[in-house]
Amino acid sequence: MARANRHFIPGHIWHLTHRCHKREFLFKFSKDRKRWIELLYEAKKRYQLSILNFIVTSNHIHLIVSADNGNDAIPRAMQLIAGRSGQEYNRRKGRKGAFWEDRYHATAIESGDHLWRCLVYVDLNMVRAGVVKHPSEWKWSGYHEIQKPKRRYRLIDHEKLRGLLNADSNETLLRTHRGWIESQL
């Protein structure tokens, strides 16, 4: 049976998850997680995505994203990231077969409290897994960039995040983000 088409509505916020094939730990090495983040940056630039948060774990990824420029930007970005990361990994390891388990999962989320909960859920992923005690200890996530915005090669769209969360300044965003994290720890 054919798969149903996904319909991404421009301007909406999406929580995407994508799991490695058979839940294998294909991202167990930092260079593979780093490469996925580099591909995310390339996709962001190419398809004008607004990245709101992300995390690369050892066997899956989470991405909170929005695109205002048409309904094919997110699928094309995911095709670029998933395709290239899987091909490069298989080539390097002399491996054949699927890298990803099925298609990625996409869930529409609302701004405000729902977005806050999703941001914190993504940030606390490795804490819940028992790998780290605080999200600041896992460097392959958006937590660091939310808390300390980069000047160059920025992934997180702070301006859009502030607007969606009704934060009047970066300081308010950072303080509130830390508060949500601490309340869940």
Side-chain angles (χ1 to χ4, degrees):
M1 182 173 197
R3 296 178 187 177
N5 288 331
R6 288 198 182 100
H7 298 283
F8 287 96
I9 303 162
H12 277 64
I13 308 162
W14 298 92
H15 178 192
L16 310 178
T17 56
H18 208 183
R19 193 170 294 285
C20 293
H21 187 64
K22 296 182 181 177
R23 299 179 183 231
E24 292 178 273
F25 294 98
L26 300 178
F27 282 124
K28 66 183 168 189
F29 297 111
S30 62
K31 70 178 175 181
D32 297 315
R33 292 188 292 263
K34 183 178 182 232
R35 182 61 181 145
W36 189 90
I37 291 169
E38 290 169 355
L39 291 169
L40 176 61
Y41 180 78
E42 183 179 329
K44 173 195 174 208
K45 298 304 260 180
R46 184 178 293 184
Y47 300 108
Q48 294 85 47
L49 299 177
S50 288
I51 310 289
L52 305 177
N53 203 359
F54 69 93
I55 192 166
V56 186
T57 74
S58 298
N59 68 351
H60 69 283
I61 63 95
H62 288 269
L63 177 62
I64 300 177
V65 64
S66 178
D68 296 329
N69 59 342
N71 61 358
D72 68 338
I74 293 173
R76 292 181 62 144
M78 290 303 290
Q79 181 181 24
L80 180 141
I81 298 165
R84 296 251 306 266
S85 60
Q87 289 167 356
E88 290 174 11
Y89 181 89
N90 282 353
R91 189 177 311 115
R92 193 177 76 251
K93 296 287 189 176
R95 180 182 180 274
K96 293 184 179 188
F99 182 88
W100 297 101
E101 183 176 280
D102 205 18
R103 296 164 67 184
Y104 61 91
H105 183 263
T107 305
I109 59 179
E110 299 172 15
S111 58
D113 282 354
H114 190 203
L115 177 56
W116 273 120
R117 286 191 302 275
C118 287
L119 289 170
V120 171
Y121 175 82
V122 168
D123 286 331
L124 294 178
N125 200 281
M126 295 309 279
V127 174
R128 283 190 310 278
V131 176
V132 297
K133 292 186 184 332
H134 193 275
S136 62
E137 298 170 28
W138 187 258
K139 69 180 194 178
W140 301 278
S141 72
Y143 174 84
H144 302 282
E145 196 175 323
I146 291 172
Q147 285 300 311
K148 190 174 181 183
K150 291 180 176 180
R151 293 187 190 274
R152 298 183 67 200
Y153 306 111
R154 184 178 306 173
L155 278 169
I156 303 296
D157 185 344
H158 283 84
E159 185 176 325
K160 183 148 191 151
L161 200 52
R162 276 193 324 268
L164 291 167
L165 297 170
N166 298 317
D168 57 357
S169 68
N170 265 349
E171 293 75 29
T172 302
L173 175 66
L174 305 182
R175 189 173 49 254
T176 308
H177 181 242
R178 272 192 309 272
W180 276 80
I181 294 290
E182 297 307 321
S183 74
Q184 296 303 305
L185 291 173

